[in-house]
Amino acid sequence: MTIPGPVESVEPVVRTACGAVRGRTEDGLTVFRGIPFAQPPVGEARFAAPRRPRPWDGVRDAYAFGPPPPQDLGVAGTVGPPDVPEGDDWLTVNVWTPAPDPAAHRPVMVWIYGGAYKLGHSGSPAYDARRIAADGDLVVVTLNYRVGMEGFAHIEGAPANRGLLDQVAALAWVQDNIAAFGGDPDQVTVFGESAGAGSVASLLAIPRAAGLFRRAIAQSVPGTFFSDELARDIGAAFAAEIGLRPTVADLSGVAPDQLVKAGQALTAKMPGHAARWGQAVSTMTPYAPVVDGEVLPVTPWRALASGAARDVALIVGHNRDENRLFTAMAGKLGQIDEARASASLRRNAPGGEAAYRTAFPDASANDLYERVQTDWVFAMPTLHLAEAHLAGGGRAHVYELTWPAPAQGGALGACHALDIPLLFGTFQESLALLQFAGAEPSEEALALSARFRSSWTAFARTGDPGWPAYDTERRLVQVLDAEPTVAPYPEETSRRLWEGYEFAPLPLLGPQA
């Protein structure tokens, strides 16, 4: 039975389905870290769907975050993991709760990190959830899932989308255990950013995730999903980097860090595969959810339009200047020339290059590049997800973050991932160091940060974030700036350019290798 709470101790104990865990009281919250929700995916479990954790005797200390899954840190400007434990117990969850009282029935928010489907871990200081839990008086869970080749590469004999299956397993753990931590399993909101938002969108479309959460928040949804044929071809190229076949038999004996290196080598060669891999090349990540017809039967847009998640309330939104983060990390901020702009417009703009040049006649080459890159990777997939949800009978609230990051005199604009420090209040961690230049946040930033948390937690509690639901007549969205307002969707020109566009699985352009 569950030990009733709150326990009169600075180290409260909660009994989960697999055994008792001991947490710590920190800043008025009780925090449990590194609780396994599945067995380590190594040995005979390598590349397999997650398996239920083995029970343990006694009380397990839940003081430290679990080790991160193998990380591809070869992204310019990213900060590697801080001091984290080593090991292969990658599949763990962490819980922040006002009190582990089974009678509390608090709403639950479950965070899924981003990282291009190839890096990220829940122990990152950027995802310290104490402010969300405290401000919202709710329970917050963060989780690890396999990334890179371990989680998303197509490997014969292994299920596709293993990283997504990890997330489903973690959400099932929440259903089975969160009441003991003071949470309500019938009031679960899943939220994530970038690849985490792509994961949230995928969970809305995955049949085995149905019923595991009631609400969802997707921040900057990437539009890149791979077809099965493309994923197979990329998987073959991965294995070829180390002279092997893309099979469980060949790859299961290769050390995880060697697979990371193979992925990095392939990423560097992606431009040379443009004739076969098309738009996938310009993302510079060889990983994405795979529309395999089984784990993920169809794209999220198609699933939502068919009503697959009509009972799940949704917040979706993006940042105005998403792509500037990537040009800044590449040292090219404000320096994109006509040739590079034209190449991106030809490859990514619906209607071709002329459509964007006509729609934005006064835009420089640099600004056209930033606009089309932002639109096709994040902004339009995000908006289309809301519209698909409406078409399927669901309800969606849309936002756009327009407040500019203060670093570099505001040149970064409202760039990708700026919403993370604003939501979590972690201004001195990871990419926030680039966006805020290490400076203390201004009163304006702190006020916007509080606004993020109050809206997100209100939605988790009631389904209403404090602004109207989106519709295709008024198109009202929450514009998050120094003075937040509700207004018609600001990117109307882009919206019209992409009207009717389908975010289909990216195809393989040529015969499979």
Side-chain angles (χ1 to χ4, degrees), residues 123-202:
S124 167
Y127 307 138
D128 185 330
R130 72 182 70 181
R131 295 169 187 83
I132 299 175
D135 289 5
D137 189 33
L138 43 69
V139 178
V140 181
V141 177
T142 65
L143 60 95
N144 276 359
Y145 63 95
R146 283 172 284 182
V147 294
M149 289 190 74
E150 302 289 338
F152 289 95
H154 192 291
I155 298 172
E156 294 176 23
N161 301 305
R162 297 174 296 281
L164 299 179
L165 292 176
D166 293 343
Q167 296 165 19
V168 172
L171 287 167
W173 182 93
V174 169
Q175 287 296 308
D176 292 342
N177 295 284
I178 206 63
F181 295 87
D184 183 351
D186 293 327
Q187 293 267 20
V188 174
T189 298
V190 62
F191 67 129
E193 182 270 348
S194 194
S199 297
V200 169
S202 298

Side-chain angles (χ1 to χ4, degrees), residues 434-472:
L434 173 64
Q435 297 156 343
F436 289 83
E440 289 297 317
S442 64
E443 289 300 317
E444 188 174 276
L446 291 173
L448 185 55
S449 179
R451 179 64 174 263
F452 256 98
R453 285 191 295 280
S454 66
S455 294
W456 267 228
T457 57
F459 178 75
R461 186 173 297 280
T462 69
D464 182 1
W467 72 87
Y470 183 82
D471 62 59
T472 54

